[in-house]
Structure formats: C-alpha cells, structure tokens
Amino acid sequence: MRRTTDVEDLLRRHAPQVLGALVRRYGHFDLAEDSVQEALLAAAQQWPRDGVPDNARGWLIKVASRRLTDLLRSEEARRRREETAGRLAPRDAFTAPPPGESRAPSDDDTLTLLFLCCHPELSPAAQVALTLRAVGGLTTAEIARAHLVPEATMAQRISRAKQRIRGVPFRQPGPADRDARLAVVLQVLYLIFNEGYTATSGRDLYRADLAREAVRLARAVRRLLPREGAVTGLLALMLLTEARSAARTGPHGELVPLDEQDRTLWDSALITEGTALVEEALAQGPAGPYQLQAAIAALHDEATCADDTDWPQILALYDLLVDRAPEPMAELGRAVATAMVQGPQAGLAEVDRLEDRLAGHHRLDAVRAHLLEKAGDLEEARAAYRAAASRTLSIPEARYLQRRAARLSP
C-alpha cells in the first residue's frame, strides 16, 4: 500500500499526460479537464486503499475517457464533436492501453498543455490558474486558498479561461511564434514560483505548495527542452532561490533578510544542482534574463557569509541584465548592488531615477529606506520604512518594515 503523499505525487505527474490524451482524441478541453479531475479524485480515494494499478496512466485514461464519453453522449452536437475530434488526431492516437501494456501518452503533452494554458488570449491571472489546475493537478479549492480568494471566484476564473480557449487546436505553436509562446510559459511558471516564495498578500511569507509546484513544472519542461538556455536558467534560478527558504523566516514566521540569514540552513544539494545548471545555461547560448538572474543568485548562495558576497561581480551581471532586459525591478536590484560597491549615495541616485516607474511600490520605499539607513539619514530612513510598510499587502513584510522603522526611533 502506498502512502497518500506518494499517490498524490504520482497523480500530479500523470495528470497532464492523461488530459493530453483526452484532448487529443476528443477535443473539448473544458469537459476533458473536468473528466480528468474526476478520475484523479477516484484514484486518490481508491489507490491508497487498494494499491496503485500496474498501468496507472492507462487506468486514469480509461476512467476519464468513460466519464468524458458519458458527457459527450448527453449533448445534442455529439456528431459534430466526434467529427472535430477526428480532425484533431489520428483515429488510434492516445487510446488507453490494454491491461499489461506499457504504451502511454508522450510526455510532450505536458508542454503542449502548458502552451494551451498559457495561450496569449488569456490574462496572466487566468494563465496561472489554468496551469495550476490542468497541468499541476491542483483542485480549484487548493488554487483558491493559495491565492486567498473564494473558491467560487477561482472556479469562475478557471471556467472563463476554458471558454476563452475553446476551439484552440491541441498542438504546439509553429516555428514563427514558438519562442514568444515559450517565453509566456516560462513567465507563468516564474509568476507561480514568486507568489509561492514571497507571497504578495496574506499572513504567510512562503507558500510551499506553489513554490514547489513551480519547481516541479520547470523540471518537467526542462526534461522536454534540455537545450533551451532560458528553461535551464529558470530552473536554476528557482532552485538557487528555493535553497534559502528554510532560513527566510524566524520561529514565529517573521521575515529574515538575506544578509541576516543562518546560511547553515540553506539547502546545499539545491545550491550544488542550481550552480551546475547555471553553468550549463550560460553555455547554451546568449544569456537572457533567467540565466543572468540565476548567475546572480548563485553568487549570493556561494558566499559563506554576507560580507563574502562578490558584489562587484553581481553589479556587472545586473548591468548586463538591465541592458538586455530593461525592467524596473531589475534596475532596483542594480541600485542595491551599486550601493554595495560604490556606496549608499550612489545607490540612492539610482533609486531616484526609478521614482516615476515604481511610484507607490513598497519595494522602492523599502530599498530607499535601507540605503538611507546605511547613509546615516535615520529620520528619512524611518519615514521610508513606514511608507513601505503601509503599502505592502504581505503581513510578514509589513511587520518587518515596521520593526526596522521602530529600531530607528529616537
């Protein structure tokens, strides 16, 4: 008998391939996704008790196909839908294998599903929700809890997303737009990871389920695209960042900044893996944003203490990053690196240049406060910490910023 957690991991691994099998054969993404969810639920209830079938994917496909067939038979347009399904795939493609046979859907369906869930017709929020549901295998309730919204709200978001992509062929994009579409997929995975690693709102700083799911999906994409530098770089960035998670919060959930973390708590295995991936990513072609950010993360993780951080090299990497992908948050990171190399006044000058583009963002105020404190302007630093605290929706971040302000009170 397998543990429930083992079964859950197995189901999440199979979920995109099972969904891909149904969508390829029948079309109807929305109905197929609902059918797969019912098959996953049935497996979650039966497998821990009865054991995992020898052909787990085949079992899931069979159960989900049966449910989908029932749904299709109940609709008036059955004939038209069957004709559409026939045009979508070869007649015998992705049928459930008979008992004892190992033939199963290709892992490529995971990538095809990601392209579908991250279709440009969808908003970023819808892309994230649909990816977590269809590819990640999370329930609507789990996704709603992770995003701190009612389950009904999340259900509506996912339903609208399914309707939006109804009729989109289940295939990977062509060469003309493949790179742009892959960039969107990677952006969605990074959004999921960031929301898990540093929650933008709520009582918890870290949401392990989202961060780890993003890592799992990034690993899956890299298995399919091992020579894509951006994919390798993104996975490296996630691993090198996730490696610090155990040291980011104190015993009561309070935020611990990077320079104050107990580095003995960092995950050395993830750092080793992530550093090796950085070297591989940089060798796979021109360094893009994910490769450069991963290289910066590697330099932080390789330092045995905060004072050993190679800030000149980090600043050089930020210069490259901002040159190749101008983006306010990257420039804010460069401002911190500038301050560490050239002094706080030089960093503050960089921060001032970002005022128009990041006005009202709590991270701009937080960085300004930190640099003002280093420059010795404690009154202005205290005001900036308070402004940052008032603007963040994250309770742990707000409390940390309030403590910094209180520490500077006369």
Side-chain angles (χ1 to χ4, degrees), residues 233-252:
L234 176 59
L235 177 58
L237 175 58
M238 288 182 180
L239 296 179
L240 291 164
T241 307
E242 176 69 11
R244 309 177 204 137
S245 60
R248 289 183 68 238
T249 54
H252 303 294

Side-chain angles (χ1 to χ4, degrees), residues 199-204 392-402:
T200 54
S201 61
R203 295 186 173 276
D204 297 322
T392 181
L393 298 177
S394 167
I395 294 174
E397 283 190 335
R399 288 174 176 168
Y400 165 76
L401 293 164
Q402 289 163 356

Side-chain angles (χ1 to χ4, degrees), residues 49-62:
R49 182 188 67 237
D50 302 335
V52 177
D54 292 336
N55 187 351
R57 253 189 307 203
W59 188 98
L60 289 168
I61 292 171
K62 183 176 181 180

Side-chain angles (χ1 to χ4, degrees), residues 87-213:
R87 291 193 297 269
L88 286 172
R91 184 170 299 175
D92 62 348
F94 297 96
T95 56
E101 291 190 13
S102 61
R103 186 171 66 84
S106 167
D107 284 344
D108 287 346
D109 277 342
T110 299
L111 186 58
T112 307
L113 272 176
L114 279 168
F115 278 122
L116 184 60
C117 293
C118 300
H119 195 276
E121 288 291 321
L122 301 177
S123 69
Q127 291 170 341
V128 168
L130 198 57
T131 297
L132 288 172
R133 166 88 178 191
V135 189
L138 275 66
T139 66
T140 303
E142 289 172 328
I143 301 169
R145 284 197 300 270
H147 288 85
L148 304 181
V149 299
E151 183 175 350
T153 300
M154 185 56 67
Q156 290 177 350
R157 184 179 301 172
I158 293 171
S159 177
R160 285 195 296 267
K162 292 177 186 177
Q163 294 298 319
R164 189 87 176 176
I165 60 173
R166 174 176 284 181
V168 174
F170 187 73
R171 59 171 178 258
Q172 294 191 22
D177 61 349
R178 185 256 190 195
D179 288 348
R181 293 284 301 279
L182 178 60
V184 175
V185 169
L186 299 184
Q187 182 182 34
V188 167
L189 296 186
Y190 195 33
L191 284 172
I192 294 171
F193 178 79
N194 282 334
E195 182 59 30
Y197 191 75
T198 304
T200 54
S201 61
R203 295 186 173 276
D204 297 322
L205 181 70
Y206 176 62
R207 295 175 186 160
D209 52 347
L210 288 182
R212 291 169 185 168
E213 185 59 26

Side-chain angles (χ1 to χ4, degrees), residues 60-391:
L60 289 168
I61 292 171
K62 183 176 181 180
V63 172
S65 296
R66 190 177 297 150
R67 173 57 179 157
L68 180 57
T69 301
D70 290 342
L71 291 174
L72 292 176
R73 283 174 178 165
S74 68
E75 299 194 11
E76 295 180 3
R78 176 187 173 194
R79 186 180 300 276
R80 289 196 301 273
R81 287 173 174 161
E82 288 177 346
E83 291 172 351
T84 300
R87 291 193 297 269
L88 286 172
R91 184 170 299 175
D92 62 348
F94 297 96
T95 56
E101 291 190 13
S102 61
R103 186 171 66 84
S106 167
D107 284 344
D108 287 346
D109 277 342
T110 299
L111 186 58
T112 307
L113 272 176
L114 279 168
F115 278 122
L116 184 60
C117 293
C118 300
H119 195 276
E121 288 291 321
L122 301 177
S123 69
Q127 291 170 341
V128 168
L130 198 57
T131 297
L132 288 172
R133 166 88 178 191
V135 189
L138 275 66
T139 66
T140 303
E142 289 172 328
I143 301 169
R145 284 197 300 270
H147 288 85
L148 304 181
V149 299
E151 183 175 350
T153 300
M154 185 56 67
Q156 290 177 350
R157 184 179 301 172
I158 293 171
S159 177
R160 285 195 296 267
K162 292 177 186 177
Q163 294 298 319
R164 189 87 176 176
I165 60 173
R166 174 176 284 181
V168 174
F170 187 73
R171 59 171 178 258
Q172 294 191 22
D177 61 349
R178 185 256 190 195
D179 288 348
R181 293 284 301 279
L182 178 60
V184 175
V185 169
L186 299 184
Q187 182 182 34
V188 167
L189 296 186
Y190 195 33
L191 284 172
I192 294 171
F193 178 79
N194 282 334
E195 182 59 30
Y197 191 75
T198 304
T200 54
S201 61
R203 295 186 173 276
D204 297 322
L205 181 70
Y206 176 62
R207 295 175 186 160
D209 52 347
L210 288 182
R212 291 169 185 168
E213 185 59 26
V215 170
R216 188 186 72 82
L217 293 175
R219 287 189 187 279
V221 175
R222 185 175 179 272
R223 281 196 298 272
L224 301 170
L225 301 173
R227 296 180 181 84
E228 289 280 352
V231 175
T232 305
L234 176 59
L235 177 58
L237 175 58
M238 288 182 180
L239 296 179
L240 291 164
T241 307
E242 176 69 11
R244 309 177 204 137
S245 60
R248 289 183 68 238
T249 54
H252 303 294
E254 67 273 19
L255 185 153
V256 180
L258 181 62
D259 59 348
E260 297 178 15
Q261 289 177 12
D262 179 357
R263 300 186 179 212
T264 64
L265 298 177
W266 288 3
D267 189 323
S268 59
L270 288 183
I271 293 173
T272 299
E273 182 184 2
T275 302
L277 287 173
V278 171
E279 295 174 358
E280 185 177 335
L282 293 174
Q284 289 177 327
Y290 296 123
Q291 296 96 308
L292 292 170
Q293 290 180 79
I296 291 169
L299 288 171
H300 281 297
D301 286 9
E302 289 169 352
T304 56
C305 64
D307 291 340
D308 291 340
T309 305
D310 190 348
W311 283 108
Q313 182 64 22
I314 288 175
L315 178 57
L317 288 169
Y318 267 119
D319 286 339
L320 280 174
L321 177 60
V322 170
D323 179 65
R324 296 182 184 182
E327 194 271 326
M329 283 301 171
E331 294 181 46
L332 190 59
R334 184 177 65 174
V336 174
T338 299
M340 298 303 293
V341 175
Q342 301 173 12
Q345 293 299 338
L348 284 167
E350 296 286 332
V351 169
D352 289 342
R353 281 192 276 271
L354 293 169
E355 185 63 48
D356 288 343
R357 285 181 289 165
L358 288 176
H361 198 294
H362 77 280
R363 295 205 187 283
L364 182 71
D365 290 317
V367 169
R368 178 182 283 118
H370 176 66
L371 298 185
L372 286 168
E373 182 179 357
K374 290 179 71 68
D377 191 343
L378 302 188
E379 184 176 351
E380 289 295 323
R382 184 169 60 251
Y385 277 129
R386 287 173 175 166
S390 70
R391 287 169 172 158

